[in-house]
Amino acid sequence: MSATAGAPPVVVTLAEIARIAGVGRAAVSNWRRRYDSFPSPVGGTDTSPQFSLPQVEEWLKRENKLKTAPNPLDRLWPEYESLGDRETTGQLVAQVGLRQSGITPGRPAAGPLLDQRQTRLLERTLELGDPDQEQGPFDFLLERWLRTHVRQITTTPVQLAGLMAQAAAMKHPGPVRTVLDPACGAGTLLVAAGRQWDADRAAGLRFLGQDSDAVLVELAKARLAVGGFTAHDLSNVSLTAGDTLRADAHSGAQADVLLSDPPSNERDWGHAELATDPRWVYGQPPRTEPELAWVQHAAAALAPGGVAVLVLPPAVAARRAGRRIRAGLLRSGVLRAVIALPPGAAPPYGVGLHLWILCADGALGRGGADGAELTLVDSAHAARPVTADRGGVDWSAVTEQVVGVLGGTSTLGSVSVPVVDLLDDQVDLTPARRVPRTRAATIVDIRRLWTRFDAHMRELRDATDALSALVPADGGETVPLISVGELEQAGALEIRTGQGLPEPLVRRGERQEDEARVLTGAPLTGQAQLWLPAAVVAAGERDGSLTVTASQDVIVSVLARAFDVRVDTDAPSVLGPQLAALRANSAVLDPWFLSGCLRAPANAHRAGTHASTTSRIDVRRLHIPRLSLEEQRRYGEIHRKITAFESEMTDMKSVGGELSRALGDLLAAGHLPRN
């Protein structure tokens, strides 16, 4: 390839070299040490050097280091990154999607026309498209672009987008011609709407959208086109860049369905300049309540019989500043349902977000005849028995519950509250404050919890009998020690450090088929359930961008304040940057013995820097006794029993807490038997 004159050099990192060569990152680092002919860095830092791509490719071919046929798109991605900024790269990715769909785009709205270099890169990308591949060039490039800019861009999870579209369809059984997302981002919700109402790819649905980020608008157009939801000339798509609240590009447009995950906690949203805006039918939103501005914008944009579903922070349902607007929405009948999602459903993952469902019957400020009651759904409450042993979001259970309640076939975890009962001084619409726990559900919980408690008691007795029989040996000769660093040099173990994770691809909830566990730090047990698809894990292990454990690897949490060591009995696990994996040579080292000795508190003091609470443990400075393999295995078996003892104690504490709370619910409701 001949580079365009004046174009910046195309550079790659060690991880990208590994991906191109089809090997692990450790192999590339080894090449740098062994071969004097390996290209020298042309940029970057000492810890993250960058290399000239043409030089790297020439070296790989000359040394016959290409182990597998490289993915041509992996080869092209560094060229996309070398274009410079996020906007330029995103614009070109969007152009790939449009051209891949057979659409010849005009001048891009997100920037100037493509230059000669970008045009050539676009053409070469399209030449690599294979109709038989499940993931085309656009999907590959979009995934990479979103992963690269994950800190600047928040996307709605696909599962949540599908649930929102399904909920809107249940509230709008008639034909849907127009879908609007006033904060469309990269188009996840618009694509979900296309799947819900245009499954035959007839391009009969009109898509309206707006976002303040022009590049995301272009990417949303491309996603709709690649999904087959657009006309050949994009005549059924109107996506515009701009500030929706200050300058609504679709003012007057009446949407059958509005789906949106608007920005939250913004202070500069136009409070003063929009003081007399006609959209504020239910009151001017306070400066601290931008989310209620989006709610009223959605209500104003609905056609007769239209439905809006919005993702909102839970505080919007209860903050005192917004109570007058909430009361207005209730009195008019526009607000029909508030659904509390479990934590982990969408960013920010530590908060249980809400879905608000709005319905309009056509008269301004009126929601419909059945608006005398508000449906409140607590999906976290209903899903708890399903996921009691594991944290996270069980999307199938949440979807089943929400669909059942909205369809009138279930009342699980829900209640319909008369509007008049909600119009008090607080106008608190938080579902958890209203949804009752039934006596039958509590009794089932108690029986289930007693069963689990008894099982843990039996396991704890077995572990106690074994450990209480141990008698400490008399103090005699000092056992010599050996460091982990020395063991590594001797080939007795291999150290693998955790790496950054592809956050957009990490899924929270119940484990699905062909997924691997993700560990992000301490504690090593009891973490929220995070998962990565098997294909992503395999690719990340192959190119060295992910650290993946094998059975009996020893996982070390390297933060001094949260130091912990465990044998991985549930491999494979993907390790985040605060963790390390030690892979022992079973011919000379027992992993359970290694784990038991490493986790001693004295070891952590020896290997820590003690600089601050954020100091790290130097894994190579940890020590273990020099013992024969037979003695190691005997000590390792004792450590197994200690680990089982700790695990049962932790589980008993958790189950005991749930049990006491369940009994407390019955006691408070007067449902416990009287003597």
Side-chain angles (χ1 to χ4, degrees):
M1 176 197 72
S2 61
T4 303
V10 179
V11 296
V12 289
T13 62
L14 291 173
E16 288 164 345
I17 295 173
R19 188 179 293 113
I20 293 171
V23 299
R25 183 171 175 175
V28 179
S29 299
N30 189 40
W31 294 342
R32 288 189 68 196
R33 291 192 298 267
R34 290 179 53 197
Y35 295 92
D36 294 335
S37 60
F38 193 89
S40 300
V42 297
T45 63
D46 291 340
T47 57
S48 182
Q50 296 177 333
F51 304 83
S52 166
L53 178 59
Q55 293 179 14
V56 167
E57 289 184 321
E58 180 183 353
W59 187 87
L60 291 173
K61 293 175 182 176
R62 185 173 67 247
E63 299 293 337
N64 194 27
K65 295 299 184 182
L66 295 172
K67 301 301 182 184
T68 61
N71 184 339
L73 293 172
D74 275 323
R75 162 64 180 79
L76 282 182
W77 177 247
E79 295 192 48
Y80 277 83
E81 287 195 310
S82 71
L83 294 177
D85 54 45
R86 162 173 107 52
E87 287 72 20
T88 302
T89 305
Q91 173 195 332
L92 187 56
V93 172
Q95 296 285 304
V96 169
L98 294 173
R99 288 281 299 275
Q100 179 183 317
S101 306
I103 297 173
T104 303
R107 184 185 184 88
L113 290 172
L114 303 183
D115 60 25
Q116 184 180 21
R117 179 187 178 208
Q118 294 166 0
T119 301
R120 289 180 178 176
L121 183 55
L122 172 62
E123 297 296 340
R124 290 168 51 216
T125 303
L126 294 172
E127 291 173 359
L128 298 176
D130 185 349
D132 297 329
Q133 284 185 337
E134 182 177 347
Q135 186 181 51
F138 172 73
D139 294 323
F140 175 90
L141 295 171
L142 177 64
E143 178 185 303
R144 281 292 187 87
W145 188 84
L146 291 173
R147 188 192 307 178
T148 301
H149 304 291
V150 65
R151 296 186 182 277
Q152 295 84 35
I153 299 169
T154 300
T155 58
T156 307
V158 174
Q159 300 96 325
L160 176 57
L163 174 60
M164 293 170 66
Q166 194 171 356
M170 299 192 71
K171 286 293 185 180
H172 193 297
V176 173
R177 299 285 182 251
T178 303
V179 176
L180 168 65
D181 184 350
C184 64
T188 304
L189 287 168
L190 292 174
V191 170
R195 291 176 179 148
Q196 182 70 43
W197 286 286
D198 198 22
D200 59 357
R201 304 297 192 266
L205 197 60
R206 186 174 178 227
F207 296 93
L208 307 179
Q210 188 169 352
D211 197 274
S212 58
D213 191 325
V215 176
L216 293 181
V217 170
E218 294 299 304
L219 289 168
K221 291 179 184 177
R223 290 183 75 180
L224 288 170
V226 171
F229 305 118
T230 66
H232 186 70
D233 58 356
L234 296 180
S235 58
N236 67 320
V237 175
S238 176
L239 305 185
T240 308
D243 187 326
T244 299
L245 293 181
R246 288 186 170 94
D248 183 12
H250 302 102
S251 179
Q254 298 289 282
D256 297 317
V257 169
L258 184 149
L259 303 176
S260 190
D261 186 355
S264 60
N265 298 321
E266 290 189 340
R267 292 295 178 260
D268 183 23
W269 58 270
H271 170 259
E273 60 198 271
L274 297 174
T276 59
D277 196 289
R279 290 172 292 184
W280 312 151
V281 173
Y282 310 103
Q284 183 185 4
R287 185 182 62 84
T288 57
E289 295 283 344
E291 297 86 2
L292 289 176
W294 287 101
V295 170
Q296 294 195 76
H297 172 83
L302 290 179
V307 176
V309 183
L310 297 95
V311 182
L312 298 173
V316 180
R319 279 195 294 240
R320 185 173 180 81
R323 67 187 185 280
R324 185 164 66 92
I325 296 176
R326 293 195 299 271
L329 291 166
L330 289 173
R331 289 191 184 98
S332 67
V334 167
L335 181 59
R336 296 292 183 79
V338 176
I339 301 169
L341 299 170
Y349 290 107
V351 177
L353 300 174
H354 288 180
L355 294 182
W356 281 28
I357 300 180
L358 314 177
C359 299
D361 71 347
L364 185 62
R366 294 185 59 200
D370 62 347
E373 291 186 337
L374 179 71
T375 300
L376 299 174
V377 184
D378 186 358
S379 63
H381 163 87
R384 191 176 69 175
V386 180
T387 60
D389 296 321
R390 291 168 288 181
V393 178
D394 183 347
W395 278 109
S396 60
V398 171
T399 301
E400 180 181 359
Q401 180 208 356
V402 172
V403 169
V405 172
L406 296 181
T409 61
S410 172
T411 59
L412 178 64
S414 71
V415 64
S416 292
V417 182
V419 167
V420 67
D421 292 347
L422 296 167
L423 296 175
D424 53 18
D425 291 340
Q426 300 299 321
V427 196
D428 191 339
L429 309 182
T430 306
R433 303 190 196 282
R434 300 280 180 171
V435 176
R437 284 187 56 81
T438 65
R439 175 175 176 273
T442 306
I443 290 174
V444 170
D445 283 350
I446 287 177
R447 290 175 178 172
R448 174 180 53 84
L449 290 169
W450 276 121
T451 299
R452 291 172 55 201
F453 189 85
D454 290 342
H456 290 311
M457 281 290 293
R458 289 193 298 272
E459 295 294 335
L460 191 60
R461 289 192 193 98
D462 292 343
T464 301
D465 291 344
L467 293 175
S468 62
L470 297 175
V471 179
D474 294 334
E477 57 182 277
T478 302
V479 179
L481 302 177
I482 184 171
S483 71
V484 170
E486 292 173 309
L487 290 169
E488 181 188 28
Q489 293 177 356
L493 57 78
E494 178 185 356
I495 302 175
R496 303 186 176 200
T497 57
Q499 304 181 65
L501 302 169
E503 292 292 342
L505 304 179
V506 176
R507 194 186 64 79
R508 290 156 172 78
E510 289 294 301
R511 185 174 192 168
Q512 296 181 359
E513 189 176 359
D514 293 333
E515 286 189 328
R517 180 180 62 163
V518 175
L519 297 176
T520 57
L524 294 176
T525 58
Q527 290 192 26
Q529 298 298 290
L530 307 177
W531 313 100
L532 273 175
V536 174
V537 174
E541 185 175 28
R542 186 169 58 250
D543 62 30
S545 61
L546 294 177
T547 300
V548 185
T549 66
S551 178
Q552 304 298 297
D553 278 1
V554 177
I555 304 175
V556 183
S557 174
V558 298
L559 282 180
R561 60 181 172 80
F563 177 67
D564 196 8
V565 184
R566 300 282 175 180
V567 176
D568 191 359
T569 57
D570 193 25
S573 300
V574 182
L575 304 186
Q578 307 299 337
L579 302 172
L582 309 184
R583 184 164 298 172
N585 180 348
S586 59
V588 295
L589 195 59
D590 181 79
W592 285 94
F593 165 75
L594 176 66
S595 173
C597 296
L598 291 182
R599 71 193 304 256
N603 229 348
H605 290 301
R606 181 186 296 118
T609 62
H610 310 292
S612 68
T613 56
T614 60
S615 62
R616 296 169 66 90
I617 297 294
D618 184 348
V619 176
R620 290 176 174 82
R621 291 171 58 186
L622 296 170
H623 288 71
I624 65 171
R626 291 179 182 266
L627 297 176
S628 67
L629 184 58
E630 182 180 353
E631 289 178 299
Q632 290 180 35
R633 288 171 176 163
R634 187 168 65 251
Y635 275 88
E637 186 58 33
I638 295 174
H639 180 53
R640 283 179 190 263
K641 295 173 181 177
I642 295 174
T643 302
F645 179 79
E646 289 181 343
S647 176
E648 296 302 329
M649 287 288 290
T650 301
D651 291 342
M652 277 194 65
K653 180 179 179 181
S654 174
V655 175
E658 289 187 60
L659 190 53
S660 64
R661 288 190 292 271
L663 289 169
D665 285 342
L666 286 177
L667 178 66
H671 290 158
L672 286 179
R674 300 178 180 85
N675 292 329

